[in-house]
């Protein structure tokens, strides 16, 4: 089959669509997905911002300046991430490459952020355990707390690895798109 | 722009250009469930993109841009199958198989397109839709020369494979 014939075969679909759209179901699906997406992202982001900033301010009053500053910084980083996401989500005029660049930048942010949150468990955990120790709490409570932070640190590694693998996939796709452009430059 | 205006434009675009989206869905998703999911995702992204459309390019170019970006990302990301199943159970089926005539050559062409990587797949679809090199470059974001190189390679590959298929029926 020559290419022109393939093109003719391809064009038959214009007169004879493969599917029929159930429009009422589509409208419902769009409304549901739109609300669900906005809800999940907003709640997660707002929780991180409010909890970190709120806890930071409250801890400041107890005199634990180091921990308070750290939590406020984390809150500000979450806020900056939200602003960046909001600014980027309405850009629909991007090319495929532009879209992948944007996806890489978001994936990169998620990797750095999940890494930061993971390592954040160590200083926060240490400061909390230290203050509990200072107040002469039971050894069982100390062991429970340390185990909890260790488990959280271990589990957050999964999340971090998930984001890393997602970033790698998008980067591979971007490389695939740019492959011939680079080859072209090298030939010149 | 109100939600109603946005919905009306989406419906109008879908009525006029649904074949375009069906072709992308069929090229990037291979099970009924994935097709349903990708179609929903593309429809949602097109709906979201409506307020950004300023008429600076043709509607088809715009739809290809939004739909291909969505399809490429869809084919890469890890989908939560159980979540999709739950979504499908909650709603009625959106894509209903039409009683269309099944052309074996078309089935073969889709089969070959499905074997290409995500980027070459997009370029093949644009090529089959008669987009110019310039338009393709503006949609994909790479140079016209690169588009040309890829198109030559893809055409050669498809023609060679079709010859083998004609000869051996494989």
């Amino acid at each position: 089959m020559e290419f022109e014939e393939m093109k003719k075969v391809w064009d038959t679909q214009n007169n004879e669509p493969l599917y029929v759209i159930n429009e009422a179901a589509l409208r419902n699906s769009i409304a549901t997905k739109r609300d669900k997406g906005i809800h999940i992202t907003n709640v997660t982001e707002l929780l991180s911002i409010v909890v970190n900033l709120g806890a930071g301010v409250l801890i400041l009053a107890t005199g634990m300046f180091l921990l308070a500053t750290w939590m406020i910084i984390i809150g500000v980083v979450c806020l900056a991430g939200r602003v960046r996401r909001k600014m980027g989500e309405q850009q629909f005029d991007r090319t495929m490459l532009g879209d992948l660049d944007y996806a890489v930048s978001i994936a990169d942010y998620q990797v750095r952020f999940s890494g930061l949150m993971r390592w954040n468990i160590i200083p926060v955990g240490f400061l909390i355990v230290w203050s509990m120790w200072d107040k002469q709490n039971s050894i069982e409570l100390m062991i429970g707390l340390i185990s909890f932070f260790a488990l959280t640190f271990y589990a957050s590694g999964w999340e971090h690895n998930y984001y890393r693998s997602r970033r790698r996939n998008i980067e591979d796709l971007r490389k695939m798109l740019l492959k011939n452009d680079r080859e072209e430059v090298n030939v010149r | 722009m109100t939600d109603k205006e946005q919905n009306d434009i989406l419906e109008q675009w879908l009525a006029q250009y649904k074949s375009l989206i069906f072709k992308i869905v069929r090229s990037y998703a291979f099970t009924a469930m994935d097709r349903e999911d990708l179609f929903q995702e593309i429809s949602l992204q097109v709906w979201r993109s409506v307020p950004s459309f300023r008429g600076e390019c043709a509607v088809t170019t715009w739809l290809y841009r939004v739909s291909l970006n969505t399809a490429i990302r869809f084919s890469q990301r890890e989908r939560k199958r159980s979540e999709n199943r739950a979504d499908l159970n909650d709603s009625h089926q959106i894509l209903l198989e039409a009683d269309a005539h099944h052309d074996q050559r078309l089935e073969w062409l889709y089969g070959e397109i499905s074997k290409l990587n995500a980027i070459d797949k997009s370029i093949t679809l644009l090529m089959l839709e008669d987009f110019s090199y310039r338009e393709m470059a503006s949609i994909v974001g790479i140079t016209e020369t690169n588009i040309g190189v890829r198109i030559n390679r893809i055409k050669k590959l498809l023609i060679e494979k079709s010859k083998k298929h004609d000869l051996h029926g494989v």
Side-chain angles (χ1 to χ4, degrees):
Chain A
M1 187 160 45
E2 289 304 314
F3 185 74
E4 285 66 33
E5 201 184 336
M6 288 180 208
K7 174 90 185 63
K8 273 184 202 159
V9 170
W10 186 256
D11 287 342
T12 55
Q13 301 171 88
N14 297 336
N15 309 320
E16 214 176 344
L18 296 162
Y19 303 100
V20 177
I21 303 169
N22 178 346
E23 286 181 12
L26 178 63
R27 259 196 304 273
N28 287 339
S29 149
I30 288 179
T32 312
K33 280 201 170 197
R34 180 196 61 198
D35 296 343
K36 197 168 137 190
I38 292 169
H39 183 70
I40 291 171
T41 318
N42 272 343
V43 167
T44 314
E45 278 176 349
L46 288 173
L47 259 180
S48 307
I49 295 165
V50 170
V51 167
N52 279 292
L53 288 179
V57 171
L58 283 176
I59 292 169
L60 202 63
T62 67
M64 295 171 73
F65 298 115
L66 201 64
L67 183 60
T69 313
W70 183 252
M71 293 198 85
I72 289 170
I73 288 171
I74 298 294
V76 171
V77 171
C78 292
L79 186 65
R82 180 180 163 84
V83 171
R84 194 174 169 189
R85 183 183 66 79
K86 286 275 179 196
M87 282 167 71
E89 72 182 5
Q90 294 306 325
Q91 296 173 33
F92 284 99
D93 54 344
R94 287 185 295 255
T95 60
M96 204 177 280
L97 181 62
D99 191 68
L100 288 175
D101 282 340
Y102 174 67
V104 168
S105 78
I106 293 294
D108 199 46
Y109 162 75
Q110 284 170 329
V111 168
R112 277 187 283 121
F113 187 67
S114 61
L116 177 73
M117 292 306 255
R118 186 174 190 223
W119 290 106
N120 183 38
I121 294 167
I122 294 177
V124 169
F126 174 75
L127 289 167
I128 289 173
V129 170
W130 187 26
S131 75
M132 298 291 263
W133 181 260
D134 225 25
K135 286 172 190 159
Q136 296 183 334
N137 281 293
S138 71
I139 192 79
E140 287 83 7
L141 183 68
M142 294 291 109
I143 292 169
L145 261 178
I146 291 168
S147 308
F148 170 74
F149 283 118
L151 201 68
T152 313
F153 183 78
Y154 180 70
S156 62
W158 291 338
E159 188 199 7
H160 184 60
N161 287 338
Y162 166 76
Y163 285 129
R164 280 175 61 179
S165 113
R166 220 167 77 163
R167 180 178 65 180
R168 209 166 30 242
N169 283 342
I170 303 169
E171 280 173 345
D172 286 348
L173 202 59
R174 193 178 174 281
K175 275 182 205 153
M176 199 192 288
L177 182 62
L178 288 174
K179 199 177 161 212
N180 284 73
D181 265 351
R182 288 206 187 109
E183 282 167 5
E184 233 176 80
V185 171
N186 289 341
V187 167
R188 281 174 194 168
Chain B
M1 183 178 277
T2 64
D3 266 14
K4 192 190 173 307
E5 286 169 327
Q6 216 166 327
N7 289 340
D8 288 347
I9 293 174
L10 175 73
E11 277 177 24
Q12 194 187 323
W13 283 358
L14 284 181
Q16 217 168 337
Y17 306 108
K18 58 181 175 234
S19 300
L20 175 161
I21 298 176
F22 293 160
K23 288 170 192 168
I24 295 174
V25 166
R26 197 169 160 189
S27 302
Y28 280 88
F30 309 110
T31 65
M33 198 177 286
D34 279 353
R35 283 177 189 158
E36 182 88 14
D37 197 28
L38 178 57
F39 181 76
Q40 286 187 37
E41 193 59 36
I42 289 177
S43 303
L44 178 67
Q45 291 307 325
V46 169
W47 181 85
R48 280 186 179 150
S49 81
V50 168
S52 311
F53 181 67
R54 309 254 179 272
E56 288 157 356
C57 61
V59 175
T60 46
T61 308
W62 183 263
L63 289 178
Y64 259 105
R65 192 172 279 172
V66 176
S67 308
L68 285 176
N69 286 349
T70 310
I72 283 179
R73 299 273 296 282
F74 177 89
S75 62
Q76 284 289 308
R77 84 174 186 233
E78 288 174 48
R79 295 182 293 281
K80 290 177 186 170
R81 314 287 294 167
S82 54
E83 197 179 282
N84 293 344
R85 282 197 187 102
D87 279 357
L88 283 176
N89 291 337
D90 287 348
S91 60
H92 297 289
Q93 208 178 342
I94 290 170
L95 275 189
L96 309 166
E97 205 73 54
D99 197 15
H101 165 69
H102 290 279
D103 186 335
Q104 283 201 334
R105 292 171 304 169
L106 188 59
E107 300 286 337
W108 172 84
L109 192 51
Y110 269 115
E112 292 307 321
I113 292 172
S114 73
K115 291 174 195 161
L116 300 171
N117 69 48
I119 305 297
D120 285 350
K121 211 178 273 181
S122 320
I123 293 172
T124 309
L125 294 182
L126 294 170
M127 171 176 81
L128 286 165
E129 290 298 322
D130 264 345
F131 278 90
S132 69
Y133 282 20
R134 180 176 290 183
E135 284 172 315
M136 286 192 221
S138 82
I139 291 173
V140 180
I142 57 178
T143 62
E144 288 180 45
T145 323
N146 189 343
I147 293 280
V149 170
R150 283 170 185 259
I151 283 181
N152 281 337
R153 201 183 56 219
I154 295 166
K155 272 188 181 176
K156 208 180 278 178
L157 180 82
L158 287 177
I159 292 168
E160 267 174 29
K161 286 201 166 186
S162 85
K163 279 177 186 160
K164 275 186 198 162
H165 182 262
D166 289 345
L167 275 178
H168 310 294
V170 287

